[in-house]
Structure formats: C-alpha cells, structure tokens
Amino acid sequence: MKFTLEKDITYEQAVERMFEMLGDWKIMALASSVNDYVMVRNVSCLFYDEKIWFKTDKNFRKTKQLLENPHVALCWSGVQVEGIAINKGLVVDEPDRRFEKGYKEHLWESYNKYSHEDTEILIEIEPKYVEIWDTSDEGYAFQLFIDFENKTVEPKIYDQK
C-alpha cells in the first residue's frame, strides 16, 4: 500500500508498508553504542511478527555492546529503525525454530559458513520509532514517521511534482 494525497494512512498501513519494503530479509546496517563509543556493522536480518531478527555469536564485541546498551538503530535504503535489542537465547532454542528455517531459506551461504549451534544467539529488535522515505504512485517524495509505542503515524510530504 502506497500513500497518496487523497487518503490518510493508518498506523497499521504504515507498518505494513515498512515490512513490505523490507520483504523477507535484508542486510541492514546496525548501529549500537556503549559509553559514547558508536559502532556500525552489517547484519543479516529476517522480518516476522512485526519484529526484526538477526543472529550473532554470543562472544562477539557487538553482542557485549548490545547486552550493555540495547538501544540500537538499523538502516536499509529508505527504512530507518530505532529500537531495543533483546537477547532471545540460542538460535537452536527458539521454540518453532522459525528464524533458523528462514535463515536457511534466504541466507543459505551465510548459514552454512557461520552457524555454530553452541554460540549463536538470536537477537530480536523491537521497533520503537521508524522513519521511511518513499515515493507515492503520483511520483512525489514523502516520509512516514511511525511511533510503535503510541501506535501513530505522521506522513510528511517532502516534494510534490
């Protein structure tokens, strides 16, 4: 669903648009910070249950940083996400193993090279605030600001042709 000048967009439609843009998986830039030291790196993400999921080794510097300060930002193309990182335990311990199945399907090469059952943990990102840059069917640029906590969306027209 794309935004148009003639109709309002609901919170639910904005969230749907966000996940439509992201698809099943993307390589996203993940930014995290501890004690004013900021790091950014790419992570292979899957999207389901209105959350963002990735795996990482529990011994990595990135993981230690996420556990100390769970406030993160992720970005892919025109989708910018601010959220909270939650350690869900070992990937292999996820009850329905949904992440593992999706990772095998969409990211087989990475799964085959970098999966270690005894150290790979699943990180869930709970979106808090999202900014989307998009274009309408009519060809104008706009932004959607989605507040997940208050379940609101604010569209802002950037450019109208």
Side-chain angles (χ1 to χ4, degrees), residues 33-147:
S33 170
V34 171
N35 300 324
D36 294 327
Y37 183 81
V38 179
M39 289 176 51
V40 66
R41 81 292 281 156
N42 288 331
V43 290
S44 301
C45 298
L46 297 179
F47 312 102
Y48 54 90
D49 297 338
E50 294 189 356
K51 305 276 172 66
I52 300 170
W53 306 82
F54 66 89
K55 71 178 184 72
T56 187
D57 192 290
K58 66 182 178 182
N59 300 308
F60 285 172
R61 185 169 63 139
K62 161 183 43 179
T63 308
K64 292 174 182 160
Q65 197 173 42
L66 293 173
L67 296 176
E68 192 169 326
N69 179 6
H71 297 271
V72 298
L74 294 116
C75 185
W76 174 82
S77 192
V79 180
Q80 303 163 43
V81 179
E82 299 167 24
I84 302 295
I86 303 163
N87 177 358
K88 302 302 274 187
L90 291 174
V91 171
V92 295
D93 290 340
E94 183 185 23
D96 60 2
R97 294 181 93 156
R98 188 170 176 187
F99 180 85
E100 183 180 36
K101 291 171 191 168
Y103 206 80
K104 281 181 182 178
E105 177 183 350
H106 299 291
L107 297 153
W108 172 251
E109 213 172 291
S110 177
Y111 178 85
N112 201 30
K113 287 181 185 174
Y114 304 112
S115 291
H116 305 281
E117 289 189 354
D118 58 341
T119 60
E120 293 290 321
I121 60 170
L122 182 59
I123 302 293
E124 171 193 296
I125 303 297
E126 180 182 326
K128 295 294 182 185
Y129 192 81
V130 174
E131 180 179 335
I132 296 174
W133 283 87
D134 204 352
T135 55
S136 73
D137 290 334
E138 297 89 354
Y140 61 87
F142 67 93
Q143 296 168 282
L144 293 176
F145 298 92
I146 308 170
D147 183 332

